[in-house]
Amino acid sequence: MEAYLDNSATTRCTESVRDAVVRAMMEDYGNPSSRHQKGLDAERSLREARETLARTLRVSEKEIYFTSGATESNNWALIGAAAANRRAGMHLITTAIEHPAVLMPMQYLQEQGFRVTYLPVDSAGQISLDDLEQAICDDTILVSIMYVNNEVGAIEPIAEAGKRIRARNPRILFHVDAVQAYGKMPVYPKTLGVDMLSASAHKIHGPKGIGFLYINERVKIHPLLLGGGQQKGMRSGTDNVPGAVGLAQAAKEAYANLEEERRHFLELKRRLMEGLAALPQVVIHSQPGEQGAAHIVSAAFPGVRSEVLLHALEERGVYVSAGSACSSNKKQPVSAVLKELHLRPELLESTLRFSFGRFTTAEEIDYCLQTLAQLLPVLRRYTRH
Ligand code: PLP
């Protein structure tokens, strides 16, 4: 048996996404910039994909830009908006638990002379709105806060943060990395007071290498990629029509089944958390039920290093991650996010993340729990004290 519990790293495509991508590659293969019928057909597919995404967010299709994924979306939102607004101020705010696709551009901007405030989080992984309010100053031009943390599943108070930012200064731009929220919960930027929002297809059963950045029409932002002038000159590069069509299909399916999927995830989460709590010495970091994301459970197994447990599980067909797979090329997998939760060192080094997707079953959860129950006593016996 196999249990793929690493859906926050990436997901398997659905068959209808695959069919849509293949159709775009084999039939609608024209370049949307070409002025003949093949080009016009491809342009129509691109426009329909953009309209589908805009409907899921309740925004205008003019505000959707395709990118190569959320890493590009985040880089563009932060670097592009900082460059376009530097005359208004040089101060940026983010959280200490962002994905590296936000933290690294922030570090780059610091090197360019911007000042960055990193908001701390509590033991549940949430920022304090008072800290946010206190951090805002006359020089602040941009705030970037993730919607759902990819390692522990903490949900940040985005709507409240949007309100507080607007109340202090409506000209401050608010960017949200919604990679782990989009397709899992309703996300309406205009209601939330969000000016820019990043999402990625491969987290919602779409293809890899495609995502989007929502940019409110009022936002001043510089392009990062210059060239042939595609996407109104804001993001040059031949349009990835198969990717865009696949992303739109995945988004359509995610939002058509939102409530059903949410209930499915909550049931899997309850089953996994109860099973983990029944194992000796397990410490669960994620908040139960709807207090945290329904599809992410993070837990520590003191006495066993996460890498060792991960590979022992893998040998038995159980796939999970230590920290987050998308940011863990480093040899030492101690996570910066978990450090921010002020966990004891033995918890930091023994944490695994379990994450669900549409295809995850209760049988997979049970198989994972049984395998953990067999492995943990054996592996703990070999740990040096
Ligand atoms: N932001 C978050 C919260 C993520 O979880 C990820 C990927 O895991 C990314 C950004 C990067 O997305 P992409 O793989 O589309 O570049």
Side-chain angles (χ1 to χ4, degrees):
M1 163 138 197
E2 277 200 354
Y4 181 73
L5 299 175
D6 203 12
N7 288 275
S8 285
T10 200
T11 55
R12 191 174 101 206
C13 268
T14 64
E15 285 173 16
S16 43
V17 165
R18 179 201 59 199
D19 293 345
V21 171
V22 169
R23 209 176 312 118
M25 289 196 295
M26 305 307 287
E27 292 166 31
D28 265 348
Y29 56 83
N31 184 330
S33 302
S34 296
R35 291 295 105 212
H36 47 66
Q37 193 57 46
K38 282 275 176 220
L40 295 177
D41 289 348
E43 192 186 20
R44 185 183 14 85
S45 300
L46 203 58
R47 191 176 57 244
E48 284 170 5
R50 199 174 269 123
E51 283 166 1
T52 300
L53 297 173
R55 268 197 302 277
T56 64
L57 296 169
R58 298 187 178 163
V59 302
S60 156
E61 70 275 7
K62 293 192 203 100
E63 298 172 307
I64 302 289
Y65 295 85
F66 292 109
T67 63
S68 62
T71 298
E72 182 188 328
S73 301
N74 288 346
N75 273 263
W76 181 17
L78 304 180
I79 297 172
N85 296 280
R86 62 184 303 151
R87 288 235 194 97
M90 295 290 283
H91 180 233
L92 316 168
I93 299 174
T94 191
T95 81
I97 59 160
E98 296 295 313
H99 189 274
V102 164
L103 293 177
M104 299 307 284
M106 284 293 188
Q107 206 172 307
Y108 167 80
L109 288 167
Q110 267 176 295
E111 287 158 14
Q112 304 303 306
F114 288 88
R115 197 161 57 81
V116 182
T117 300
Y118 296 91
L119 301 173
V121 292
D122 62 18
S123 59
Q126 283 183 319
I127 58 157
S128 133
L129 290 162
D130 292 341
D131 285 351
L132 167 64
E133 212 167 319
Q134 277 160 24
I136 298 174
C137 62
D138 293 346
D139 208 29
T140 308
I141 53 167
L142 173 67
V143 176
S144 179
I145 301 176
M146 70 193 333
Y147 209 137
V148 169
N149 179 267
N150 50 305
E151 293 196 35
V152 291
I155 303 176
E156 300 303 333
I158 297 299
E160 270 306 311
K163 268 191 213 141
R164 300 243 188 152
I165 295 166
R166 267 199 276 193
R168 269 299 297 274
N169 177 359
R171 282 193 306 278
I172 296 174
L173 298 177
F174 185 20
H175 167 254
V176 170
D177 175 347
V179 169
Q180 301 289 346
Y182 182 73
K184 306 277 189 330
M185 53 175 80
V187 176
Y188 304 130
K190 307 236 182 216
T191 321
L192 294 166
V194 169
D195 301 298
M196 295 181 282
L197 183 132
S198 307
S200 186
H202 73 105
K203 310 290 185 180
I204 57 165
H205 304 282
K208 294 170 184 55
I210 182 85
F212 68 79
L213 179 63
Y214 154 77
I215 309 178
N216 184 301
E217 276 179 300
R218 83 176 179 106
V219 170
K220 256 184 22 195
I221 183 167
H222 287 172
L224 278 197
L225 299 187
L226 306 173
Q230 288 87 349
Q231 304 204 60
K232 296 180 275 181
M234 293 304 288
R235 200 283 185 179
S236 286
T238 301
D239 300 292
N240 177 357
V241 183
V245 165
L247 162 57
Q249 180 64 28
K252 207 190 289 177
E253 287 168 18
Y255 279 101
N257 300 310
L258 202 63
E259 186 48 29
E260 195 185 317
E261 210 153 89
R262 191 182 65 89
R263 271 189 266 116
H264 175 57
F265 289 158
L266 282 171
E267 176 52 26
L268 295 173
K269 181 177 179 182
R270 188 198 55 76
R271 200 176 185 99
L272 180 60
M273 284 181 71
E274 280 180 15
L276 288 173
L279 295 172
Q281 295 177 323
V282 175
V283 179
I284 300 174
H285 310 311
S286 302
Q287 299 299 301
E290 295 184 85
Q291 288 168 45
H295 64 295
I296 298 177
V297 174
S298 170
F301 302 86
V304 192
R305 291 184 72 85
S306 37
E307 286 292 291
V308 173
L309 186 52
L310 181 146
H311 292 301
L313 286 168
E314 179 196 6
E315 274 176 24
R316 286 158 182 78
V318 179
Y319 302 97
V320 300
S321 73
S324 74
C326 43
S327 62
S328 62
N329 274 337
K330 298 159 210 134
K331 280 211 183 84
Q332 181 57 29
V334 169
S335 141
V337 171
L338 297 176
K339 271 193 195 155
E340 289 298 325
L341 303 186
H342 302 292
L343 299 179
R344 300 196 307 274
E346 73 263 34
L347 301 187
L348 274 182
E349 290 165 2
S350 63
T351 291
L352 292 182
R353 177 189 69 181
F354 306 83
S355 50
F356 320 136
R358 190 170 311 146
F359 304 119
T360 310
T361 61
E363 289 70 37
E364 285 179 291
I365 302 291
D366 292 347
Y367 178 62
C368 169
L369 287 166
Q370 278 162 25
T371 312
L372 280 169
Q374 286 162 10
L375 287 172
L376 285 170
V378 181
L379 294 174
R380 282 195 176 120
R381 221 177 298 143
Y382 290 109
T383 305
R384 275 177 285 147
H385 293 286

